[in-house]
Amino acid sequence: MGGEGRDAAHMARMRARRAPFSDPRKGRVKEQIRFAFQLSRGKPLTTGELVKYCYGVHRILLGDRSWYRENVRRAAPQLATVCGHGRGRGRPILWAPRDPIQNTPLMELLRKLHKC
Protein backbone atom coordinates (compact mmCIF):
# COMPACT_ATOMS: atom_id res chain seq x y z
CA MET A 1 0.00 0.00 0.00
CA GLY A 2 2.52 2.53 -1.09
CA GLY A 3 1.91 6.05 -2.20
CA GLU A 4 2.45 5.27 -5.85
CA GLY A 5 0.58 7.48 -8.28
CA ARG A 6 -0.12 10.18 -5.71
CA ASP A 7 1.62 13.02 -7.54
CA ALA A 8 -0.04 16.28 -8.63
CA ALA A 9 -1.20 14.84 -11.95
CA HIS A 10 -2.88 11.89 -10.23
CA MET A 11 -4.69 14.18 -7.78
CA ALA A 12 -5.86 16.40 -10.67
CA ARG A 13 -7.32 13.32 -12.40
CA MET A 14 -9.11 12.29 -9.20
CA ARG A 15 -10.63 15.76 -8.78
CA ALA A 16 -11.78 15.69 -12.41
CA ARG A 17 -13.51 12.32 -11.86
CA ARG A 18 -15.50 13.59 -8.89
CA ALA A 19 -19.20 13.99 -9.58
CA PRO A 20 -20.70 17.47 -9.63
CA PHE A 21 -22.16 18.77 -6.37
CA SER A 22 -19.94 16.47 -4.31
CA ASP A 23 -17.98 18.97 -2.27
CA PRO A 24 -15.98 16.95 0.28
CA ARG A 25 -16.27 19.73 2.86
CA LYS A 26 -20.08 19.87 2.82
CA GLY A 27 -21.51 16.87 4.60
CA ARG A 28 -24.87 15.72 5.86
CA VAL A 29 -24.12 16.48 9.51
CA LYS A 30 -23.07 20.03 8.67
CA GLU A 31 -26.25 20.60 6.68
CA GLN A 32 -28.36 19.25 9.55
CA ILE A 33 -26.60 21.55 12.03
CA ARG A 34 -27.21 24.51 9.72
CA PHE A 35 -30.89 23.53 9.42
CA ALA A 36 -31.20 23.16 13.21
CA PHE A 37 -29.97 26.71 13.73
CA GLN A 38 -32.36 27.96 11.07
CA LEU A 39 -35.29 26.29 12.81
CA SER A 40 -34.23 27.70 16.17
CA ARG A 41 -34.11 31.17 14.54
CA GLY A 42 -30.52 31.71 15.60
CA LYS A 43 -30.92 30.78 19.27
CA PRO A 44 -28.09 28.84 20.93
CA LEU A 45 -28.49 25.06 20.98
CA THR A 46 -26.82 22.43 23.12
CA THR A 47 -24.81 19.55 21.71
CA GLY A 48 -27.61 17.16 22.67
CA GLU A 49 -30.18 19.18 20.73
CA LEU A 50 -27.92 19.19 17.68
CA VAL A 51 -27.54 15.41 17.97
CA LYS A 52 -31.34 15.08 17.96
CA TYR A 53 -31.57 17.12 14.76
CA CYS A 54 -28.72 15.29 13.04
CA TYR A 55 -29.50 11.71 14.08
CA GLY A 56 -33.18 11.75 15.04
CA VAL A 57 -34.38 8.73 13.05
CA HIS A 58 -31.11 6.83 13.54
CA ARG A 59 -31.42 7.23 17.31
CA ILE A 60 -34.97 5.86 17.23
CA LEU A 61 -34.13 2.86 15.05
CA LEU A 62 -30.62 1.99 16.20
CA GLY A 63 -30.32 3.56 19.63
CA ASP A 64 -27.87 6.19 20.78
CA ARG A 65 -24.34 5.64 19.49
CA SER A 66 -21.35 7.37 21.06
CA TRP A 67 -20.01 8.55 17.73
CA TYR A 68 -23.16 10.59 16.98
CA ARG A 69 -22.15 13.15 19.60
CA GLU A 70 -18.51 13.07 18.49
CA ASN A 71 -19.44 13.77 14.87
CA VAL A 72 -21.58 16.73 15.92
CA ARG A 73 -18.77 18.07 18.12
CA ARG A 74 -16.37 17.80 15.19
CA ALA A 75 -18.65 19.58 12.68
CA ALA A 76 -20.20 22.25 14.93
CA PRO A 77 -17.13 24.53 15.30
CA GLN A 78 -17.16 25.11 11.55
CA LEU A 79 -20.68 26.56 11.72
CA ALA A 80 -21.01 27.86 15.27
CA THR A 81 -19.08 29.19 18.23
CA VAL A 82 -19.12 28.04 21.83
CA CYS A 83 -21.10 30.53 23.88
CA GLY A 84 -21.20 28.72 27.23
CA HIS A 85 -22.41 25.63 28.99
CA GLY A 86 -25.93 24.43 29.65
CA ARG A 87 -27.37 23.68 33.06
CA GLY A 88 -28.23 20.06 32.35
CA ARG A 89 -26.49 16.93 33.43
CA GLY A 90 -22.86 16.99 32.39
CA ARG A 91 -23.09 20.69 31.48
CA PRO A 92 -23.55 20.39 27.70
CA ILE A 93 -21.84 22.89 25.42
CA LEU A 94 -24.02 25.71 24.08
CA TRP A 95 -23.40 26.55 20.42
CA ALA A 96 -24.35 29.93 18.91
CA PRO A 97 -24.60 30.17 15.11
CA ARG A 98 -22.19 32.29 13.13
CA ASP A 99 -23.54 35.17 11.03
CA PRO A 100 -23.89 33.43 7.62
CA ILE A 101 -26.37 30.94 9.08
CA GLN A 102 -28.64 33.72 10.30
CA ASN A 103 -28.80 35.41 6.88
CA THR A 104 -30.04 32.52 4.75
CA PRO A 105 -33.20 32.50 2.58
CA LEU A 106 -34.93 30.15 5.03
CA MET A 107 -34.27 32.58 7.88
CA GLU A 108 -35.75 35.43 5.82
CA LEU A 109 -38.85 33.32 5.13
CA LEU A 110 -39.22 32.46 8.82
CA ARG A 111 -38.94 36.15 9.72
CA LYS A 112 -41.66 37.05 7.21
CA LEU A 113 -43.95 34.31 8.49
CA HIS A 114 -43.34 35.34 12.08
CA LYS A 115 -44.37 38.95 11.34
CA CYS A 116 -47.71 37.84 9.83
Side-chain angles (χ1 to χ4, degrees):
M1 295 196 115
E4 304 215 8
R6 303 282 195 270
D7 57 354
H10 173 77
M11 294 308 292
R13 285 192 307 273
M14 291 298 107
R15 279 191 294 275
R17 287 178 57 187
R18 186 178 317 185
F21 307 112
S22 64
D23 186 6
R25 294 164 301 279
K26 186 175 182 182
R28 186 191 66 80
V29 174
K30 278 179 155 174
E31 288 301 313
Q32 291 296 107
I33 291 172
R34 186 183 311 274
F35 186 68
F37 281 123
Q38 289 173 351
L39 287 181
S40 73
R41 296 187 177 158
K43 295 179 184 172
L45 297 173
T46 63
T47 305
E49 291 168 341
L50 291 176
V51 169
K52 286 179 186 175
Y53 278 107
C54 294
Y55 294 101
V57 175
H58 298 282
R59 291 177 70 219
I60 293 170
L61 296 176
L62 303 173
D64 202 7
R65 304 281 192 237
S66 63
W67 49 269
Y68 292 165
R69 190 170 305 276
E70 185 62 34
N71 286 346
V72 168
R73 265 190 249 146
R74 194 177 318 142
Q78 298 170 11
L79 301 170
T81 58
V82 176
C83 66
H85 289 276
R87 296 181 180 199
R89 184 175 182 197
R91 295 187 42 119
I93 296 174
L94 279 175
W95 299 95
R98 295 180 194 249
D99 289 335
I101 292 174
Q102 295 176 358
N103 298 325
T104 57
L106 180 60
M107 286 300 291
E108 296 299 324
L109 178 65
L110 288 173
R111 285 187 193 113
K112 287 179 185 177
L113 292 175
H114 186 62
K115 289 179 183 178
C116 294

